[in-house]
Amino acid sequence: MRPVKMLITTSKWFFNMAFVLYIAGCGNRTGNTSTTTASDTAASATTAPAVDNGPQFKKEGELYFIGKAKNDTLRKIDIELAETDDERATGLMNRKSMTDDQGMLFIFSQAEEQSFWMKDTYISLDILYVDDKQEIVSFRKYATPLSEESLSSFKKAMYVVEVNAGFCDKYHVNVGDKIAYTKL
């Protein structure tokens, strides 16, 4: 009788050990047994690659949106200027972000129908077309990023202002409102 009792006791012991090992093995299924310390995290943060947000904004002036109803300032933004053919051709291309108080002012030598596209432009924009009297004559809101669709002014414009999509709705900028700008 004794050998059977010993066999049962030994079997229970093996079963319990196998069960414990099974449970322990279920805890970490990734196979990664390394631990991360605060110094490891700090070291990896300093060596992480920088995120490319495209060209950096250069403040070259300030622009005011002036409401036609009360002749009051609806919003002031910092602007980057596009005055040359090359600057106008590049515009906000390859830009990955822009704050709500920034924009780009395109200045043309004469008022004529303008047409813009969103090729290589990663952020959605409101595009405002402004005549030679600095009055907004038309706009295209929520322009689709990276689109090659032509976005025409349908009217003569000497200036074009690009701001983040939703700007016109948020600050109640409409056709007939005016702009005023200063260069730094």
Side-chain angles (χ1 to χ4, degrees), residues 33-69:
T33 58
S34 67
T35 57
T36 303
T37 64
S39 62
D40 291 339
T41 304
S44 66
T46 58
T47 60
V51 176
D52 179 19
N53 286 325
Q56 295 297 310
F57 180 82
K58 296 177 295 191
K59 181 178 177 178
E60 299 174 317
E62 296 177 338
L63 185 140
Y64 296 84
F65 293 93
I66 302 164
K68 66 181 171 190

Side-chain angles (χ1 to χ4, degrees), residues 25-154:
C26 291
N28 185 2
R29 293 192 174 257
T30 64
N32 182 2
T33 58
S34 67
T35 57
T36 303
T37 64
S39 62
D40 291 339
T41 304
S44 66
T46 58
T47 60
V51 176
D52 179 19
N53 286 325
Q56 295 297 310
F57 180 82
K58 296 177 295 191
K59 181 178 177 178
E60 299 174 317
E62 296 177 338
L63 185 140
Y64 296 84
F65 293 93
I66 302 164
K68 66 181 171 190
K70 298 179 184 175
N71 205 31
D72 58 336
T73 299
L74 302 172
R75 181 78 170 148
K76 176 190 104 38
I77 62 170
D78 295 331
I79 53 170
E80 193 168 328
L81 299 171
E83 299 179 275
T84 68
D85 288 340
D86 285 342
E87 290 171 336
R88 288 190 292 265
T90 303
L92 292 173
M93 287 180 169
N94 301 309
R95 198 74 53 104
K96 302 280 173 55
S97 66
M98 187 169 63
T99 64
D100 208 30
D101 63 346
Q102 296 174 333
M104 181 168 275
L105 175 64
F106 296 79
I107 303 171
F108 295 90
S109 58
Q110 62 185 26
E112 58 188 18
E113 190 172 315
Q114 304 295 338
S115 186
F116 277 55
W117 65 353
M118 296 290 290
K119 182 178 180 185
D120 296 326
T121 305
Y122 292 90
I123 52 178
S124 182
L125 300 172
D126 285 355
I127 303 172
L128 297 91
Y129 298 99
V130 182
D131 68 12
D132 56 346
K133 297 177 189 108
Q134 297 186 347
E135 182 177 317
I136 300 170
V137 294
S138 66
F139 52 74
R140 303 298 289 266
K141 298 194 287 187
Y142 301 95
T144 305
L146 306 174
S147 171
E148 293 186 23
E149 175 189 2
S150 179
L151 304 171
S152 175
S153 63
F154 299 111

Side-chain angles (χ1 to χ4, degrees), residues 13-23:
W13 184 84
F14 279 120
F15 175 78
N16 287 339
M17 284 303 289
F19 183 72
V20 167
L21 291 173
Y22 173 76
I23 296 297

